[in-house]
Amino acid sequence: MPALPSIPPDIMGSLKTLGQIAEHLSGHTDNNKSKAMGKPSLTQEAAADSSENKDHKEIEKILLEVVSQLTGYPVEMLAPDMDIETDLGVDSIKRVEILSALEE
């Protein structure tokens, strides 16, 4: 997924769960801010929410697959609310490997 935004090191340290990483990569949080400022119509909002949700779910699915491949945890064991350090034992080097694999 080479079109994904990069995550600067200062932000990477603040993303604690797989779900937070997926949200950041899908632009979910940034799009919510722009919606509040632009005040789109309800129809536009519903279409954007549907598209964002689909993109977010796709990114989340691929993220879980990559984490599974690089950590050895089965995908079925992984959940978006898992803390990458505490629950999975993923260090900063492994985080970079995961994000690099996502870009490839």
Side-chain angles (χ1 to χ4, degrees):
M1 304 183 83
L4 289 177
S6 62
I7 301 178
D10 57 325
I11 292 177
M12 179 48 116
S14 68
L15 302 174
K16 301 295 183 193
T17 67
L18 296 173
Q20 289 173 341
I21 293 172
E23 282 180 14
H24 183 81
L25 292 173
S26 66
H28 195 81
T29 52
D30 292 340
N31 289 338
N32 286 341
K33 289 177 189 172
S34 64
K35 271 194 247 174
M37 294 175 72
K39 307 252 184 201
S41 72
L42 292 177
T43 305
Q44 290 170 330
E45 244 180 63
D49 283 345
S50 175
S51 174
E52 287 173 16
N53 193 33
K54 181 182 174 192
D55 291 344
H56 175 74
K57 290 295 181 189
E58 182 67 17
I59 289 171
E60 191 174 271
K61 177 184 172 231
I62 293 170
L63 175 63
L64 294 179
E65 290 171 3
V66 168
V67 169
S68 173
Q69 291 171 359
L70 294 175
T71 62
Y73 289 105
V75 174
E76 304 81 37
M77 264 184 73
L78 301 174
D81 64 342
M82 293 182 89
D83 186 289
I84 36 185
E85 290 179 8
T86 307
D87 296 331
L88 300 173
V90 172
D91 61 12
S92 58
I93 294 170
K94 186 62 79 176
R95 285 185 199 195
V96 172
E97 288 176 8
I98 290 168
L99 292 175
S100 294
L102 275 174
E103 287 179 3
E104 292 174 8

Coordinates of all heavy atoms in Angstrom, one line a residue:
M1 N 0.8 -1.2 0.0 CA 0.0 0.0 0.0 C 0.9 1.2 0.0 O 1.0 2.0 1.0 CB -0.9 0.0 1.2 CG -1.8 -1.3 1.3 SD -2.9 -1.2 2.7 CE -4.3 -0.3 2.0
P2 N 1.6 1.5 -1.1 CA 2.5 2.6 -1.2 C 1.9 4.0 -1.0 O 2.6 4.9 -0.7 CB 3.2 2.4 -2.5 CG 2.3 1.5 -3.3 CD 1.5 0.7 -2.3
A3 N 0.6 4.1 -1.2 CA 0.0 5.4 -1.1 C -0.3 5.8 0.4 O -0.8 6.9 0.6 CB -1.3 5.4 -1.9
L4 N 0.0 5.0 1.3 CA -0.3 5.3 2.7 C 0.6 6.4 3.2 O 1.7 6.5 2.7 CB -0.1 4.1 3.6 CG -1.1 2.9 3.5 CD1 -0.6 1.8 4.4 CD2 -2.5 3.4 3.8
P5 N 0.0 7.3 4.1 CA 0.9 8.4 4.6 C 2.0 7.8 5.5 O 1.8 6.7 6.1 CB -0.1 9.2 5.4 CG -1.2 8.3 5.8 CD -1.3 7.3 4.6
S6 N 3.1 8.5 5.5 CA 4.1 8.0 6.5 C 3.8 8.5 7.9 O 3.0 9.4 8.0 CB 5.5 8.6 6.0 OG 5.5 10.0 6.1
I7 N 4.3 7.8 8.8 CA 4.1 8.2 10.2 C 5.4 8.7 10.8 O 6.4 8.0 10.9 CB 3.6 7.0 11.1 CG1 2.3 6.4 10.5 CG2 3.4 7.4 12.5 CD1 1.8 5.2 11.2
P8 N 5.4 10.0 11.1 CA 6.7 10.6 11.7 C 7.0 9.9 13.0 O 6.1 9.5 13.8 CB 6.3 12.1 11.9 CG 5.1 12.3 11.1 CD 4.4 11.0 10.9
P9 N 8.3 9.8 13.4 CA 8.7 9.2 14.6 C 8.0 9.7 15.9 O 7.6 9.0 16.8 CB 10.2 9.4 14.7 CG 10.6 9.6 13.3 CD 9.4 10.3 12.6
D10 N 7.8 11.0 15.9 CA 7.1 11.6 17.1 C 5.7 11.2 17.3 O 5.2 11.0 18.4 CB 7.2 13.1 17.1 CG 6.6 13.8 15.9 OD1 6.7 13.2 14.8 OD2 6.1 14.9 16.0
I11 N 5.0 10.9 16.2 CA 3.6 10.4 16.2 C 3.6 8.9 16.5 O 2.8 8.4 17.2 CB 2.8 10.8 14.9 CG1 2.7 12.3 14.9 CG2 1.5 10.1 14.9 CD1 2.0 12.8 13.7
M12 N 4.5 8.2 15.9 CA 4.6 6.8 16.0 C 4.6 6.3 17.4 O 4.0 5.4 17.8 CB 5.8 6.2 15.2 CG 5.9 4.7 15.4 SD 4.4 3.8 15.0 CE 4.8 3.0 13.6
G13 N 5.4 7.0 18.3 CA 5.5 6.7 19.7 C 4.2 6.9 20.4 O 3.9 6.3 21.5
S14 N 3.3 7.7 19.9 CA 2.0 8.0 20.6 C 0.9 7.0 20.2 O -0.1 7.0 20.8 CB 1.5 9.4 20.3 OG 1.2 9.6 19.0
L15 N 1.1 6.3 19.1 CA 0.1 5.3 18.6 C 0.4 4.0 19.4 O 1.4 3.3 19.1 CB 0.3 5.1 17.1 CG 0.1 6.3 16.3 CD1 0.4 6.0 14.8 CD2 -1.3 6.9 16.4
K16 N -0.5 3.7 20.3 CA -0.3 2.5 21.2 C -1.0 1.2 20.8 O -0.6 0.2 21.2 CB -0.8 2.9 22.6 CG -0.1 4.1 23.2 CD 1.4 3.8 23.4 CE 2.1 5.0 24.1 NZ 3.5 4.9 24.0
T17 N -2.0 1.3 20.0 CA -2.7 0.1 19.6 C -2.7 -0.1 18.1 O -2.5 0.9 17.3 CB -4.2 0.1 20.1 OG1 -4.9 1.1 19.3 CG2 -4.3 0.4 21.5
L18 N -3.0 -1.3 17.6 CA -3.1 -1.6 16.2 C -4.2 -0.7 15.6 O -4.1 -0.2 14.5 CB -3.4 -3.1 16.0 CG -2.3 -4.0 16.4 CD1 -2.8 -5.5 16.3 CD2 -1.0 -3.8 15.7
G19 N -5.3 -0.5 16.3 CA -6.4 0.3 15.8 C -6.0 1.7 15.6 O -6.4 2.4 14.6
Q20 N -5.2 2.3 16.5 CA -4.8 3.7 16.4 C -3.9 3.8 15.1 O -4.0 4.8 14.4 CB -4.0 4.1 17.6 CG -4.9 4.3 18.8 CD -4.1 4.6 20.1 OE1 -2.9 4.3 20.2 NE2 -4.8 5.1 21.1
I21 N -3.0 2.8 14.9 CA -2.2 2.9 13.7 C -3.0 2.8 12.5 O -2.8 3.6 11.5 CB -1.2 1.7 13.7 CG1 -0.2 1.9 14.9 CG2 -0.4 1.6 12.4 CD1 0.8 0.7 15.1
A22 N -4.0 1.9 12.4 CA -4.9 1.8 11.3 C -5.7 3.1 11.1 O -5.9 3.6 9.9 CB -5.9 0.6 11.4
E23 N -6.2 3.7 12.1 CA -6.9 5.0 12.0 C -6.0 6.1 11.4 O -6.4 6.8 10.5 CB -7.4 5.5 13.4 CG -8.6 4.8 13.8 CD -9.1 5.3 15.2 OE1 -8.6 6.3 15.7 OE2 -9.9 4.6 15.8
H24 N -4.8 6.2 11.9 CA -3.8 7.2 11.4 C -3.5 6.9 9.9 O -3.6 7.9 9.1 CB -2.5 7.2 12.2 CG -1.6 8.2 11.7 ND1 -1.7 9.5 12.2 CD2 -0.5 8.2 10.9 CE1 -0.7 10.2 11.6 NE2 0.0 9.4 10.8
L25 N -3.3 5.7 9.6 CA -3.0 5.4 8.2 C -4.1 5.6 7.2 O -4.0 6.0 6.1 CB -2.5 3.9 8.0 CG -1.1 3.6 8.7 CD1 -0.9 2.1 8.6 CD2 0.0 4.4 8.0
S26 N -5.4 5.4 7.7 CA -6.5 5.6 6.9 C -6.9 7.1 6.8 O -7.8 7.5 6.0 CB -7.7 4.8 7.3 OG -8.2 5.2 8.6
G27 N -6.3 7.9 7.6 CA -6.6 9.4 7.6 C -7.9 9.6 8.3 O -8.5 10.7 8.2
H28 N -8.4 8.6 9.0 CA -9.7 8.7 9.7 C -9.8 9.9 10.6 O -10.8 10.7 10.5 CB -10.0 7.4 10.5 CG -11.4 7.2 10.9 ND1 -12.3 6.7 10.0 CD2 -12.0 7.5 12.1 CE1 -13.5 6.7 10.7 NE2 -13.3 7.2 11.9
T29 N -8.8 10.2 11.4 CA -8.9 11.3 12.3 C -8.8 12.7 11.6 O -9.5 13.6 11.9 CB -7.8 11.2 13.4 OG1 -6.5 11.0 12.7 CG2 -8.0 10.0 14.3
D30 N -7.9 12.8 10.6 CA -7.8 14.0 9.8 C -9.1 14.3 9.1 O -9.5 15.5 9.0 CB -6.7 13.9 8.8 CG -5.3 13.9 9.5 OD1 -5.2 14.3 10.7 OD2 -4.4 13.4 8.9
N31 N -9.7 13.3 8.5 CA -11.0 13.5 7.7 C -12.1 14.0 8.6 O -12.9 14.8 8.2 CB -11.4 12.3 7.0 CG -10.5 12.0 5.8 OD1 -9.8 12.8 5.3 ND2 -10.5 10.7 5.4
N32 N -12.1 13.5 9.9 CA -13.2 14.0 10.8 C -13.0 15.5 11.1 O -14.0 16.2 11.2 CB -13.1 13.2 12.1 CG -13.7 11.8 11.9 OD1 -14.4 11.5 11.0 ND2 -13.4 10.9 12.8
K33 N -11.8 16.0 11.2 CA -11.5 17.4 11.5 C -11.9 18.2 10.3 O -12.6 19.3 10.5 CB -10.0 17.6 11.8 CG -9.6 17.1 13.1 CD -8.1 17.3 13.3 CE -7.6 16.5 14.5 NZ -6.1 16.6 14.6
S34 N -11.6 17.8 9.1 CA -12.0 18.6 7.9 C -13.5 18.6 7.7 O -14.0 19.6 7.2 CB -11.3 18.0 6.6 OG -11.7 16.7 6.3
K35 N -14.2 17.5 8.1 CA -15.6 17.5 7.9 C -16.2 18.5 8.8 O -17.2 19.2 8.5 CB -16.2 16.1 8.3 CG -16.3 15.2 7.2 CD -17.1 14.0 7.6 CE -16.3 12.8 7.7 NZ -17.0 11.7 8.3
A36 N -15.7 18.6 10.0 CA -16.3 19.6 11.0 C -16.1 21.0 10.5 O -16.9 21.9 10.7 CB -15.6 19.4 12.4
M37 N -15.0 21.3 9.8 CA -14.7 22.6 9.3 C -15.5 22.9 8.1 O -16.0 24.0 7.9 CB -13.2 22.8 9.1 CG -12.4 22.7 10.3 SD -10.6 22.7 10.0 CE -10.4 24.4 9.5
G38 N -15.6 22.0 7.2 CA -16.3 22.2 5.9 C -17.8 22.1 5.9 O -18.5 22.5 5.0
K39 N -18.4 21.5 6.9 CA -19.8 21.3 7.1 C -20.5 20.7 5.8 O -21.3 21.3 5.2 CB -20.5 22.6 7.5 CG -19.9 23.3 8.7 CD -20.8 23.2 9.8 CE -20.2 24.0 10.9 NZ -20.6 23.7 12.2
P40 N -20.0 19.5 5.4 CA -20.7 18.9 4.2 C -22.1 18.5 4.5 O -22.5 18.4 5.6 CB -19.8 17.6 4.0 CG -19.2 17.3 5.3 CD -19.1 18.6 6.0
S41 N -22.9 18.3 3.5 CA -24.3 17.9 3.6 C -24.3 16.5 4.2 O -23.4 15.7 4.2 CB -25.0 17.9 2.3 OG -24.5 16.8 1.5
L42 N -25.5 16.1 4.7 CA -25.7 14.8 5.3 C -25.4 13.7 4.3 O -24.8 12.6 4.6 CB -27.1 14.6 5.9 CG -27.4 15.5 7.1 CD1 -28.8 15.3 7.5 CD2 -26.4 15.2 8.2
T43 N -25.8 13.9 3.0 CA -25.6 12.9 2.0 C -24.1 12.7 1.7 O -23.5 11.6 1.6 CB -26.3 13.3 0.7 OG1 -27.7 13.4 1.0 CG2 -26.1 12.2 -0.4
Q44 N -23.4 13.9 1.6 CA -21.9 13.8 1.4 C -21.2 13.2 2.6 O -20.3 12.4 2.4 CB -21.4 15.3 1.2 CG -21.8 15.9 -0.1 CD -21.4 17.4 -0.1 OE1 -21.4 18.0 0.9 NE2 -21.1 17.9 -1.3
E45 N -21.7 13.5 3.8 CA -21.1 12.9 5.0 C -21.3 11.4 5.0 O -20.4 10.7 5.3 CB -21.8 13.5 6.3 CG -20.8 14.3 7.1 CD -21.6 14.9 8.3 OE1 -22.0 14.1 9.2 OE2 -21.6 16.1 8.4
A46 N -22.5 10.9 4.7 CA -22.7 9.5 4.7 C -21.9 8.8 3.7 O -21.3 7.7 3.9 CB -24.2 9.2 4.4
A47 N -21.7 9.4 2.5 CA -20.9 8.7 1.5 C -19.4 8.7 1.9 O -18.7 7.7 1.7 CB -21.0 9.5 0.1
A48 N -19.0 9.8 2.5 CA -17.6 9.9 2.9 C -17.4 8.9 4.1 O -16.3 8.2 4.1 CB -17.3 11.3 3.4
D49 N -18.3 8.8 5.0 CA -18.2 7.9 6.1 C -18.1 6.5 5.6 O -17.3 5.7 6.1 CB -19.3 8.0 7.1 CG -19.2 9.2 8.0 OD1 -18.1 9.8 8.1 OD2 -20.2 9.6 8.6
S50 N -18.9 6.1 4.6 CA -18.9 4.8 4.1 C -17.6 4.4 3.4 O -17.0 3.4 3.6 CB -20.1 4.6 3.1 OG -20.0 3.4 2.5
S51 N -17.1 5.4 2.6 CA -15.8 5.2 2.0 C -14.7 5.1 3.0 O -13.8 4.3 2.9 CB -15.6 6.3 1.0 OG -14.3 6.2 0.4
E52 N -14.7 6.0 4.0 CA -13.6 6.0 5.0 C -13.7 4.7 5.8 O -12.6 4.1 6.1 CB -13.8 7.2 6.0 CG -13.5 8.5 5.4 CD -13.8 9.6 6.3 OE1 -14.1 9.4 7.5 OE2 -13.9 10.8 5.8
N53 N -14.9 4.2 6.1 CA -15.0 3.0 6.9 C -14.4 1.8 6.1 O -13.7 1.0 6.6 CB -16.4 2.8 7.3 CG -16.6 1.7 8.3 OD1 -15.7 1.5 9.2 ND2 -17.7 1.0 8.3
K54 N -14.8 1.8 4.8 CA -14.3 0.7 3.9 C -12.7 0.8 3.9 O -12.1 -0.3 4.0 CB -14.9 0.8 2.5 CG -14.4 -0.2 1.6 CD -15.0 0.0 0.2 CE -14.4 -1.0 -0.7 NZ -14.8 -0.7 -2.1
D55 N -12.2 1.9 3.7 CA -10.7 2.1 3.6 C -10.1 1.7 4.9 O -9.1 1.0 5.0 CB -10.3 3.5 3.3 CG -10.7 3.9 1.8 OD1 -10.9 3.0 1.0 OD2 -10.7 5.1 1.5
H56 N -10.7 2.2 6.0 CA -10.1 1.9 7.3 C -10.2 0.4 7.6 O -9.2 -0.2 8.1 CB -11.0 2.6 8.4 CG -10.6 2.3 9.8 ND1 -9.4 2.7 10.4 CD2 -11.1 1.5 10.7 CE1 -9.3 2.3 11.6 NE2 -10.3 1.5 11.8
K57 N -11.2 -0.3 7.3 CA -11.4 -1.7 7.5 C -10.3 -2.5 6.6 O -9.7 -3.5 7.1 CB -12.8 -2.2 7.2 CG -13.8 -1.8 8.2 CD -13.5 -2.4 9.6 CE -14.5 -2.0 10.6 NZ -14.1 -2.4 11.9
E58 N -10.1 -2.0 5.4 CA -9.1 -2.7 4.5 C -7.7 -2.5 5.1 O -6.9 -3.5 5.1 CB -9.2 -2.1 3.1 CG -8.3 -2.8 2.1 CD -8.6 -4.2 1.8 OE1 -9.7 -4.7 2.1 OE2 -7.7 -4.9 1.3
I59 N -7.4 -1.3 5.5 CA -6.1 -1.1 6.1 C -5.9 -1.9 7.4 O -4.8 -2.5 7.6 CB -5.9 0.5 6.4 CG1 -5.7 1.2 5.0 CG2 -4.7 0.7 7.3 CD1 -5.8 2.7 5.1
E60 N -6.9 -1.9 8.2 CA -6.9 -2.7 9.4 C -6.6 -4.2 9.2 O -5.8 -4.8 9.8 CB -8.2 -2.5 10.2 CG -8.1 -3.0 11.6 CD -9.4 -2.6 12.4 OE1 -9.4 -1.5 13.0 OE2 -10.4 -3.4 12.3
K61 N -7.4 -4.7 8.2 CA -7.2 -6.1 7.8 C -5.8 -6.4 7.4 O -5.2 -7.4 7.8 CB -8.2 -6.5 6.7 CG -8.1 -7.9 6.2 CD -9.1 -8.1 5.0 CE -8.8 -9.5 4.4 NZ -8.7 -9.4 3.0
I62 N -5.2 -5.6 6.5 CA -3.9 -5.8 6.0 C -2.9 -5.6 7.1 O -1.9 -6.4 7.2 CB -3.6 -4.9 4.8 CG1 -4.5 -5.3 3.6 CG2 -2.1 -4.9 4.4 CD1 -4.5 -4.3 2.5
L63 N -3.1 -4.6 8.0 CA -2.2 -4.4 9.1 C -2.1 -5.7 10.0 O -1.1 -6.1 10.4 CB -2.7 -3.2 9.9 CG -1.9 -2.9 11.2 CD1 -0.4 -2.6 10.9 CD2 -2.5 -1.8 12.0
L64 N -3.3 -6.2 10.3 CA -3.3 -7.4 11.1 C -2.6 -8.6 10.4 O -1.9 -9.4 11.1 CB -4.8 -7.8 11.5 CG -5.5 -6.9 12.3 CD1 -7.0 -7.4 12.6 CD2 -4.8 -6.6 13.7
E65 N -2.7 -8.7 9.1 CA -2.1 -9.8 8.4 C -0.5 -9.6 8.4 O 0.2 -10.5 8.6 CB -2.5 -9.8 6.9 CG -3.9 -10.3 6.8 CD -4.5 -10.2 5.3 OE1 -3.7 -9.7 4.5 OE2 -5.7 -10.5 5.1
V66 N -0.1 -8.4 8.3 CA 1.3 -8.1 8.3 C 1.9 -8.3 9.7 O 3.0 -8.9 9.9 CB 1.6 -6.6 7.8 CG1 3.1 -6.2 8.1 CG2 1.3 -6.5 6.4
V67 N 1.2 -7.9 10.7 CA 1.6 -8.1 12.1 C 1.7 -9.6 12.4 O 2.7 -10.1 13.0 CB 0.7 -7.4 13.1 CG1 1.0 -7.8 14.5 CG2 0.8 -5.9 13.0
S68 N 0.7 -10.3 11.9 CA 0.8 -11.8 12.0 C 2.0 -12.4 11.4 O 2.7 -13.2 12.0 CB -0.5 -12.4 11.4 OG -0.4 -13.8 11.4
Q69 N 2.3 -12.0 10.2 CA 3.5 -12.5 9.5 C 4.8 -12.2 10.2 O 5.7 -13.0 10.3 CB 3.5 -12.0 8.1 CG 2.4 -12.5 7.2 CD 2.4 -11.8 5.8 OE1 3.2 -10.9 5.5 NE2 1.5 -12.2 5.0
L70 N 4.9 -11.0 10.7 CA 6.1 -10.5 11.3 C 6.3 -10.9 12.8 O 7.4 -10.9 13.3 CB 6.3 -9.0 11.1 CG 6.5 -8.6 9.7 CD1 6.5 -7.1 9.6 CD2 7.7 -9.2 9.1
T71 N 5.2 -11.2 13.5 CA 5.3 -11.6 14.9 C 5.1 -13.1 15.1 O 5.5 -13.6 16.2 CB 4.3 -10.8 15.7 OG1 3.0 -11.1 15.3 CG2 4.6 -9.3 15.6
G72 N 4.4 -13.8 14.2 CA 4.1 -15.2 14.4 C 2.8 -15.4 15.1 O 2.3 -16.5 15.3
Y73 N 2.1 -14.3 15.6 CA 0.8 -14.4 16.1 C -0.3 -14.8 15.0 O -0.2 -14.1 14.0 CB 0.3 -13.2 16.8 CG 1.0 -12.8 18.1 CD1 2.0 -11.8 18.1 CD2 0.8 -13.5 19.3 CE1 2.7 -11.5 19.3 CE2 1.4 -13.2 20.5 CZ 2.4 -12.2 20.5 OH 3.0 -11.9 21.6
P74 N -1.2 -15.7 15.3 CA -2.2 -15.9 14.3 C -3.1 -14.7 14.1 O -3.4 -14.0 15.1 CB -3.0 -17.1 14.8 CG -2.2 -17.7 15.9 CD -1.2 -16.6 16.4
V75 N -3.6 -14.4 12.9 CA -4.5 -13.3 12.7 C -5.7 -13.4 13.6 O -6.1 -12.3 14.1 CB -4.9 -13.2 11.2 CG1 -5.9 -12.1 11.0 CG2 -3.7 -13.0 10.3
E76 N -6.2 -14.6 13.9 CA -7.4 -14.7 14.7 C -7.1 -14.2 16.1 O -8.1 -13.9 16.9 CB -7.8 -16.2 14.8 CG -8.1 -16.8 13.4 CD -6.8 -17.3 12.7 OE1 -5.9 -17.8 13.3 OE2 -6.8 -17.1 11.5
M77 N -5.9 -14.2 16.6 CA -5.6 -13.8 17.9 C -5.4 -12.3 18.0 O -5.5 -11.7 19.1 CB -4.2 -14.4 18.4 CG -4.3 -15.6 19.2 SD -2.7 -16.1 19.7 CE -2.3 -14.9 21.0
L78 N -5.3 -11.6 16.9 CA -5.0 -10.2 16.9 C -6.3 -9.4 16.9 O -7.3 -9.8 16.3 CB -4.2 -9.8 15.7 CG -2.8 -10.5 15.6 CD1 -2.1 -10.1 14.3 CD2 -1.9 -10.1 16.8
A79 N -6.3 -8.2 17.6 CA -7.5 -7.3 17.6 C -7.0 -5.9 17.6 O -5.9 -5.6 18.0 CB -8.3 -7.6 18.9
P80 N -7.8 -5.0 17.0 CA -7.4 -3.6 16.9 C -7.1 -2.9 18.2 O -6.3 -2.0 18.3 CB -8.6 -2.9 16.2 CG -9.3 -4.0 15.5 CD -9.1 -5.3 16.3
D81 N -7.7 -3.4 19.3 CA -7.5 -2.7 20.6 C -6.2 -3.3 21.3 O -6.0 -2.9 22.4 CB -8.7 -2.9 21.5 CG -9.0 -4.3 21.8 OD1 -8.6 -5.2 21.1 OD2 -9.8 -4.5 22.8
M82 N -5.5 -4.2 20.7 CA -4.3 -4.7 21.3 C -3.2 -3.7 21.4 O -2.9 -3.0 20.4 CB -3.8 -6.0 20.6 CG -4.7 -7.1 20.7 SD -4.1 -8.6 19.9 CE -3.2 -9.3 21.3
D83 N -2.5 -3.5 22.5 CA -1.4 -2.6 22.7 C -0.2 -3.3 22.1 O 0.1 -4.4 22.4 CB -1.2 -2.4 24.2 CG -0.1 -1.4 24.4 OD1 1.1 -1.7 24.2 OD2 -0.4 -0.2 24.9
I84 N 0.5 -2.6 21.2 CA 1.6 -3.2 20.4 C 2.8 -3.5 21.3 O 3.4 -4.5 21.0 CB 2.0 -2.4 19.2 CG1 1.9 -0.9 19.5 CG2 1.3 -2.7 18.0 CD1 2.3 0.0 18.3
E85 N 3.0 -2.8 22.4 CA 4.1 -3.1 23.3 C 3.7 -4.1 24.3 O 4.3 -5.2 24.4 CB 4.6 -1.8 23.9 CG 5.4 -0.9 22.9 CD 5.8 0.3 23.6 OE1 5.8 0.5 24.8 OE2 6.3 1.2 22.8
T86 N 2.7 -3.8 25.1 CA 2.3 -4.7 26.2 C 1.7 -6.0 25.7 O 2.1 -7.1 26.2 CB 1.2 -4.0 27.0 OG1 1.7 -2.7 27.4 CG2 0.9 -4.8 28.3
D87 N 0.8 -6.0 24.8 CA 0.1 -7.3 24.4 C 0.9 -8.1 23.4 O 0.8 -9.3 23.4 CB -1.3 -6.9 23.8 CG -2.2 -6.3 24.8 OD1 -2.1 -6.6 26.0 OD2 -3.1 -5.6 24.4
L88 N 1.6 -7.4 22.5 CA 2.3 -8.1 21.4 C 3.9 -8.1 21.6 O 4.5 -8.8 20.8 CB 1.9 -7.5 20.1 CG 0.5 -7.5 19.7 CD1 0.2 -6.7 18.5 CD2 0.0 -9.0 19.6
G89 N 4.4 -7.3 22.5 CA 5.9 -7.3 22.6 C 6.6 -6.7 21.4 O 7.7 -7.0 21.2
V90 N 5.9 -5.8 20.7 CA 6.5 -5.2 19.5 C 7.3 -4.0 19.9 O 6.8 -3.0 20.5 CB 5.4 -4.8 18.4 CG1 6.0 -4.0 17.3 CG2 4.7 -6.0 17.9
D91 N 8.6 -4.0 19.6 CA 9.5 -2.8 19.9 C 9.5 -1.8 18.7 O 8.9 -2.1 17.7 CB 10.9 -3.3 20.3 CG 11.6 -4.0 19.1 OD1 11.1 -4.0 18.0 OD2 12.6 -4.6 19.4
S92 N 10.3 -0.8 18.9 CA 10.3 0.3 17.8 C 10.9 -0.2 16.5 O 10.4 0.2 15.5 CB 11.1 1.5 18.3 OG 12.4 1.1 18.7
I93 N 11.8 -1.1 16.6 CA 12.4 -1.6 15.3 C 11.4 -2.5 14.6 O 11.2 -2.4 13.4 CB 13.7 -2.5 15.6 CG1 14.7 -1.5 16.2 CG2 14.1 -3.2 14.4 CD1 16.0 -2.2 16.7
K94 N 10.6 -3.3 15.3 CA 9.6 -4.1 14.7 C 8.4 -3.3 14.1 O 7.9 -3.6 13.1 CB 9.0 -5.1 15.7 CG 8.0 -6.1 15.1 CD 8.6 -7.0 14.1 CE 9.4 -8.1 14.7 NZ 10.0 -9.1 13.7
R95 N 8.1 -2.1 14.8 CA 7.1 -1.2 14.3 C 7.5 -0.7 12.9 O 6.7 -0.6 12.0 CB 7.0 0.0 15.2 CG 6.2 -0.2 16.4 CD 6.0 1.1 17.2 NE 5.7 0.8 18.6 CZ 5.2 1.7 19.4 NH1 5.0 3.0 18.9 NH2 5.0 1.5 20.6
V96 N 8.8 -0.3 12.8 CA 9.3 0.2 11.5 C 9.2 -0.9 10.4 O 8.8 -0.7 9.3 CB 10.8 0.7 11.6 CG1 11.4 1.0 10.3 CG2 10.8 1.9 12.5
E97 N 9.5 -2.2 10.8 CA 9.4 -3.3 9.9 C 8.0 -3.5 9.4 O 7.7 -3.7 8.2 CB 9.9 -4.6 10.5 CG 11.4 -4.6 10.7 CD 11.9 -5.9 11.5 OE1 11.1 -6.8 11.7 OE2 13.1 -6.0 11.8
I98 N 7.1 -3.4 10.4 CA 5.6 -3.5 10.0 C 5.2 -2.5 9.1 O 4.5 -2.8 8.0 CB 4.8 -3.5 11.3 CG1 5.0 -4.8 12.1 CG2 3.3 -3.4 11.0 CD1 4.5 -4.8 13.5
L99 N 5.5 -1.2 9.3 CA 5.1 -0.1 8.4 C 5.8 -0.2 7.1 O 5.2 0.0 6.0 CB 5.4 1.2 9.1 CG 4.5 1.5 10.3 CD1 5.0 2.8 11.0 CD2 3.1 1.6 9.9
S100 N 7.0 -0.7 7.0 CA 7.7 -0.9 5.8 C 7.0 -2.0 5.0 O 6.9 -1.8 3.7 CB 9.2 -1.2 6.0 OG 9.9 -0.2 6.6
A101 N 6.6 -3.0 5.6 CA 6.0 -4.1 4.9 C 4.6 -3.7 4.4 O 4.2 -4.1 3.3 CB 5.8 -5.3 5.9
L102 N 3.9 -2.8 5.1 CA 2.6 -2.3 4.7 C 2.8 -1.4 3.4 O 2.0 -1.5 2.5 CB 2.0 -1.4 5.7 CG 1.2 -2.1 6.8 CD1 0.7 -1.1 7.9 CD2 -0.1 -2.7 6.2
E103 N 3.9 -0.7 3.4 CA 4.1 0.2 2.2 C 4.4 -0.7 1.0 O 4.1 -0.3 -0.1 CB 5.3 1.1 2.5 CG 4.9 2.3 3.4 CD 6.0 3.2 3.7 OE1 7.1 3.0 3.1 OE2 5.9 4.1 4.5
E104 N 5.1 -1.8 1.2 CA 5.5 -2.7 0.1 C 4.2 -3.4 -0.4 O 4.0 -3.7 -1.5 CB 6.5 -3.8 0.5 CG 7.8 -3.2 0.8 CD 8.8 -4.2 1.4 OE1 8.5 -5.4 1.4 OE2 9.9 -3.8 1.8

